[in-house]
């Protein structure tokens, strides 16, 4: 989107530590280096781990606001108190639906905004950690949205279902609404993530050793993700190198017990037919 109103498309990105980044468009498909988005006090906007950000004029005043999902299943709203060309972001608040703050139990939410029901008002769509997509209908106005309780457009992966296969998204669904086939109705693009392991049978002692190693590894990995706001370039490079070494060690731990990590991520297309999104 054109984040700063200069006529050029920009890129916005969240991050696992929670910071939000802007890549300003330079034209011709080129972008400037990332810069952290900051609030009106000059502090980086950081609302929770695994932040996913979407920019939309939520209050209808002509500038772009921020809608941010986090790993806890919450959706934050950060209003732009500046202008279209000079954004100034105030304090965040939690979006509510049905009179209660949104809290997706499976966490890891990815929000997007679109007029899903075609009534001329923006609604909220949220991908969930359980692989589902929730629809929150705007029952208010374009300038003062009020969200109804969630309706699941795509149910989450149920207990006992195969989260790594089948004909539906698995984990950490991220959703985008677009008229994919040009029929005048919004369809859904849903990205997912799957991590699994082919694990051999282990003795109790092997399980204990592996558990202790993994706990130590996770503690060290999480510590590396807590970068200071004013981190120097050299320190960041050293931290990224250490992170790469940790990931390599993780693979070695799996090799020790002949476990093979398996990753994949798909993008699913749901074409809308008679008001219902159907997987393709």
């Amino acid at each position: 989107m054109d984040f700063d109103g200069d006529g050029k498309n920009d890129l916005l990105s969240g991050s696992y530590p929670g910071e939000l980044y802007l890549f300003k468009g330079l034209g011709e498909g080129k972008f400037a280096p990332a810069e952290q988005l900051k609030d009106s006090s000059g502090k980086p906007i950081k609302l929770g781990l695994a932040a996913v950000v979407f920019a939309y004029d939520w209050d209808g005043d002509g500038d772009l606001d921020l809608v941010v999902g986090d790993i806890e299943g919450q959706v934050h709203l950060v209003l732009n108190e500046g202008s279209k060309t000079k954004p100034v972001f105030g304090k965040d608040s939690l979006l509510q639906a049905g009179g209660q703050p949104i809290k997706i139990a499976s966490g890891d939410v990815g929000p997007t905004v679109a007029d899903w029901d075609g009534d001329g008002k923006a609604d909220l769509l949220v991908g969930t950690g359980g692989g589902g997509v929730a629809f929150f209908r705007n029952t208010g106005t374009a300038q003062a949205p009020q969200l109804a309780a969630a309706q699941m457009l795509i149910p989450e992966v149920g207990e006992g279902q195969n989260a790594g296969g089948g004909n539906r998204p698995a984990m950490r669904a991220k959703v985008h609404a677009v008229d994919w086939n040009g029929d005048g109705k919004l369809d859904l693009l849903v990205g997912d993530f799957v991590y699994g392991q082919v694990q051999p049978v282990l003795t109790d002692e092997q399980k204990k050793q592996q558990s202790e190693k993994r706990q130590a590894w996770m503690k060290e990995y999480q510590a590396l993700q807590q970068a200071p706001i004013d981190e120097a370039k050299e320190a960041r490079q050293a931290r990224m190198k250490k992170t790469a070494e940790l990931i390599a060690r993780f693979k070695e731990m799996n090799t020790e017990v002949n476990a093979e990590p398996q990753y994949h991520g798909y993008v699913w297309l749901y074409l809308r037919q008679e008001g219902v999104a159907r997987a393709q």
Side-chain angles (χ1 to χ4, degrees):
M1 82 298 298
D2 182 5
F3 186 73
D4 53 7
D6 65 355
K8 300 174 184 176
N9 282 330
D10 310 299
L11 289 176
L12 277 181
S13 176
S15 67
Y16 182 79
E19 296 91 351
L20 309 179
Y21 293 91
L22 168 66
F23 298 81
K24 294 188 69 171
L26 303 176
E28 299 180 351
K30 298 179 180 180
F31 298 89
E35 57 182 86
Q36 284 189 357
L37 293 185
K38 299 180 180 181
D39 61 22
S40 56
S41 68
K43 296 180 180 179
I45 299 172
K46 187 173 181 179
L47 304 175
L49 295 177
V52 179
V53 59
F54 188 84
Y56 189 84
D57 184 6
W58 185 258
D59 55 4
D61 64 354
D63 53 41
L64 291 177
D65 309 300
L66 303 176
V67 180
V68 185
D70 67 25
I71 202 169
E72 299 296 330
Q74 304 170 120
V75 182
H76 305 258
L77 172 64
V78 187
L79 291 177
N80 182 356
E81 299 173 348
S83 66
K84 181 177 180 179
T85 56
K86 294 183 179 180
V88 177
F89 296 103
K91 186 178 180 180
D92 76 289
S93 61
L94 293 176
L95 283 181
Q96 297 193 359
Q100 298 293 328
I102 294 173
K103 182 83 171 183
I104 302 297
S106 59
D108 221 334
V109 299
T112 191
V113 181
D115 181 10
W116 181 252
D117 57 3
D119 65 354
K121 299 178 295 186
D123 308 300
L124 179 69
L125 299 174
V126 173
T128 75
V133 175
F135 161 53
F136 297 88
R137 183 171 182 267
N138 181 2
T139 58
T141 66
Q143 290 72 34
Q146 297 290 325
L147 300 177
Q151 302 176 43
M152 297 304 295
L153 301 180
I154 301 173
E156 295 190 315
V157 177
E159 185 176 354
Q161 289 182 280
N162 180 8
N167 61 351
R168 53 146 301 127
M171 300 165 54
R172 303 181 189 174
K174 301 298 181 284
V175 59
H176 179 67
V178 62
D179 183 3
W180 182 261
N181 55 0
D183 65 353
K185 294 177 288 189
L186 287 178
D187 309 301
L188 296 179
L189 289 174
V190 183
D192 72 356
F193 169 79
V194 172
Y195 167 75
Q197 289 182 320
V198 179
Q199 187 70 262
V201 177
L202 302 177
T203 66
D204 289 343
E205 182 61 26
Q206 286 176 320
K207 291 179 181 178
K208 179 180 177 182
Q209 292 175 355
Q210 281 296 306
S211 176
E212 292 173 348
K213 286 183 179 180
R214 291 177 187 277
Q215 289 176 14
W217 181 91
M218 181 58 70
K219 184 177 181 180
E220 190 172 356
Y221 180 83
Q222 290 176 338
L224 279 174
Q225 306 311 304
Q226 303 303 312
I229 295 174
D230 57 349
E231 184 179 32
K233 180 179 179 181
E234 294 77 9
R236 181 179 183 278
Q237 291 175 339
R239 184 168 58 84
M240 296 304 292
K241 180 179 179 181
K242 184 65 175 178
T243 299
E245 292 172 352
L246 275 176
I247 293 174
R249 192 196 307 172
F250 180 76
K251 294 180 180 179
E252 291 176 1
M253 285 193 297
N254 287 328
T255 303
E256 290 174 4
V257 292
N258 297 319
E260 299 180 2
Q262 298 178 338
Y263 304 85
H264 74 249
Y266 296 126
V267 177
W268 301 80
L269 170 62
Y270 285 77
L271 291 178
R272 191 163 176 172
Q273 299 174 2
E274 298 178 357
V276 179
R278 303 181 186 279
Q280 300 292 316

